Every structure is written in structure tokens, then in C-alpha cells.
Amino acid sequence: MSDVKRALIPCGGKGTRMALLSGGRAKELMPIGGVPLLLRVMAECASSGIEEVLVVAAPHKEDVVEIARGAAGKDDMPARVETVIQREPRGLADAIRLGREFAAGDAIGVALPDNLFVAQVPAMAQLIETHQQTGKNVVAMVELFPEDAVRAGPTSLYPGILKGDEYAISEIPSKGSRSSTFDLKGMPSGFTGVGRYVFLPEVFGAIDEIERQLKPGEELDDIPVMSLLLQRGRLTGRRIVGDFLDVGLPAGYRDANERFAPEDQQPRLAR
């Protein structure tokens, strides 16, 4: 049984990567195989044992709030859905901090809605497994190969060691070092962190610590928070067994619609 029963889904206000794809609509409601992206992420949470979801929405996303609340208790959805408004787009760590009371002193999952996975075991469930095995905070890791450049976009590679499916991270790379495409530097593959997390209650104290170090106007981002947790030996990675789809990129969005298309619309193989 999972000991992680709650998850937070941040639906922030910037979304510049997905603006062209969404046509001005809330990016979280873009249809993937005919189903809003947000509901696909909520279904992943439910199938991972998550019973309660908190959707953190920007002030102008009333449609996101309405659809999220309306899904509560339906088939393949979490039993309970709460919503909260993030008044200013101050960063991912700020959105996570809004879930402090919702977490109620327990571990909490975090699922970014522009990432989808095709996996036999749901991605969030895989993270929960590693959390249970290690007792640590966990970030999802995916392995990238040279042919993944068009689907991965700008990203940083995380140095570390793979131990089974646990990825022991040695350093959290800065977002500031990201290039237009990832550089494997001659290696056959590399690992990067993507939008699934399991955080223990200690994350909220770490967020507060990082905020006290910020200069006026700086974002409260997740990277320095994860770096702090890693320095304290409290963070590890989980290699996701399955296919990663970054639907914030055109190639990933096309792939997702193909992979999640209804069966009667799936491409037929030549006989």
C-alpha cells in the first residue's frame, strides 16, 4: 500500500513554451487523445494510490478549477480535489509551498501537467516505491539518447550513478546552464530530471530557507530547493521505466496524441 495519499498539480500562469500549442487556452486543458491533459495527470495520480489532489491554479484559470473539481470521485480519478490560487507566478517551489497545509505533515507527490508517461507502472507509483525504499525525497529521472534531442528540448543532464532503478544524483545542475539542446559529450546516454516528485514535509522548511536567500524579484524555484535537500543527503532520483512525453514541445504533443488516441483511431499495421 502507498503511504503517499496526496498530490499537488501546479497549473501556473506563465506557460510560454505551450502558448502556441494551446492557442491561448489553459495549457492544462489541451486535449490529449480527446482527454484534457490535466485529467490524464490526475488519472495517473489516482492509479498510483493518490486519494486527494490539490490543483494550484493561476487567477485567470477558472476553467481549470472547474474541470478539476468536477472530476473528483469519478471513475479513475482521485476521490477528493481541492484548489488554491497562486496569486503571482513566483516559481515552482512557491506553488509547492501552497500545499503545506494540504500535505498535513505527510509526504506529498507533485506532478507537472506538461509531462506524460506511457508506462506499465504509473510514473508516480514508481517514485513512491523509491521513496518507500529509501525514506528520501525523490525526483523522476529519464534517460536521454542522441535521438531524443528534438523531443527533450533544452535540458540539463544530472550527474549520478544508476543503482537498479534508483538514480543516486551527485549534483543538481543549474537551469542557467541549459543550452538549446542537451549535450551528451560523447556519452551514449544521460539522465535528466522531469516533472514528477515525492516530497517529505521537510521540503517546506527547505523552501523557506531558500526564500530567505533570494534577492528581490527572484523566483522561488525548485532547483535550489532540491540542491539543498541533496546536500543534506535527503534527495535521490528514480529512473522512470516507460516512455516520457514532453507535451510542451510540438514533437512531444504529437507523440502524446498518437500514443493516447482511442483504439479506433490507432494507426493500423499493414497485414
Side-chain angles (χ1 to χ4, degrees):
M1 293 291 291
S2 168
D3 64 343
V4 182
K5 299 298 184 183
R6 300 180 182 90
L8 180 149
I9 302 177
C11 300
K14 289 188 176 180
T16 52
R17 286 198 320 155
M18 300 178 73
L20 293 177
L21 291 173
S22 66
R25 298 168 296 173
K27 62 180 182 178
E28 298 82 8
L29 301 183
M30 292 195 307
I32 302 294
V35 177
L37 177 56
L38 174 62
L39 296 187
R40 291 214 177 268
V41 176
M42 289 173 61
E44 178 196 317
C45 290
S47 63
S48 301
I50 301 295
E51 298 173 354
E52 304 177 28
V53 162
L54 176 67
V55 174
V56 179
H60 61 281
K61 293 191 175 181
E62 296 88 353
D63 48 356
V64 169
V65 170
E66 181 180 354
I67 287 177
R69 288 179 174 173
K74 292 186 177 180
D75 290 345
D76 302 322
M77 287 289 134
R80 177 170 165 246
V81 176
E82 292 188 13
T83 58
V84 66
I85 301 301
Q86 184 184 22
R87 296 296 174 186
E88 298 179 7
R90 291 197 58 215
L92 178 55
D94 179 64
I96 293 170
R97 184 170 57 178
L98 293 176
R100 190 194 307 253
E101 183 176 341
F102 175 77
D106 296 324
I108 186 171
V110 175
L112 303 193
D114 52 355
N115 293 163
L116 287 179
F117 300 86
V118 180
Q120 186 173 358
V121 177
M124 183 61 74
Q126 295 185 44
L127 263 71
I128 291 171
E129 179 184 54
T130 297
H131 159 69
Q132 292 172 329
Q133 292 171 347
T134 64
K136 295 181 179 181
N137 303 276
V138 186
V139 56
M141 309 295 297
V142 295
E143 189 171 9
L144 299 176
F145 300 89
E147 61 268 24
D148 294 321
V150 68
R151 290 176 173 81
T155 191
S156 298
L157 298 180
Y158 285 49
I161 300 174
L162 186 64
K163 303 175 180 179
D165 286 324
E166 180 187 357
Y167 189 77
I169 303 167
S170 58
E171 180 185 351
I172 303 292
S174 168
K175 284 183 179 178
S177 67
R178 292 187 175 187
S179 58
S180 58
T181 57
F182 64 88
D183 182 7
L184 291 173
K185 298 179 180 179
M187 298 184 297
S189 67
F191 286 85
T192 191
V194 295
R196 296 291 185 273
Y197 313 82
V198 170
F199 287 123
L200 287 149
E202 63 192 297
V203 73
F204 299 112
I207 292 172
D208 292 341
E209 287 186 52
I210 294 300
E211 183 179 41
R212 289 193 289 269
Q213 302 170 17
L214 294 180
K215 299 175 182 178
E218 283 187 318
E219 275 198 356
L220 188 51
D221 197 35
D222 59 311
I223 293 298
V225 174
M226 289 197 295
S227 294
L228 181 58
L229 292 172
L230 183 65
Q231 290 169 19
R232 294 173 174 171
R234 299 297 300 148
L235 180 75
T236 192
R238 165 69 189 226
R239 174 178 63 173
I240 299 299
V241 179
D243 296 335
F244 166 60
L245 303 171
D246 186 346
V247 298
L249 297 171
Y253 182 67
R254 289 193 300 270
D255 287 349
N257 272 292
E258 291 176 3
R259 298 293 294 273
F260 287 95
E263 289 188 9
D264 60 352
Q265 297 180 20
Q266 293 281 359
R268 296 184 180 275
L269 297 176
R271 292 178 180 268

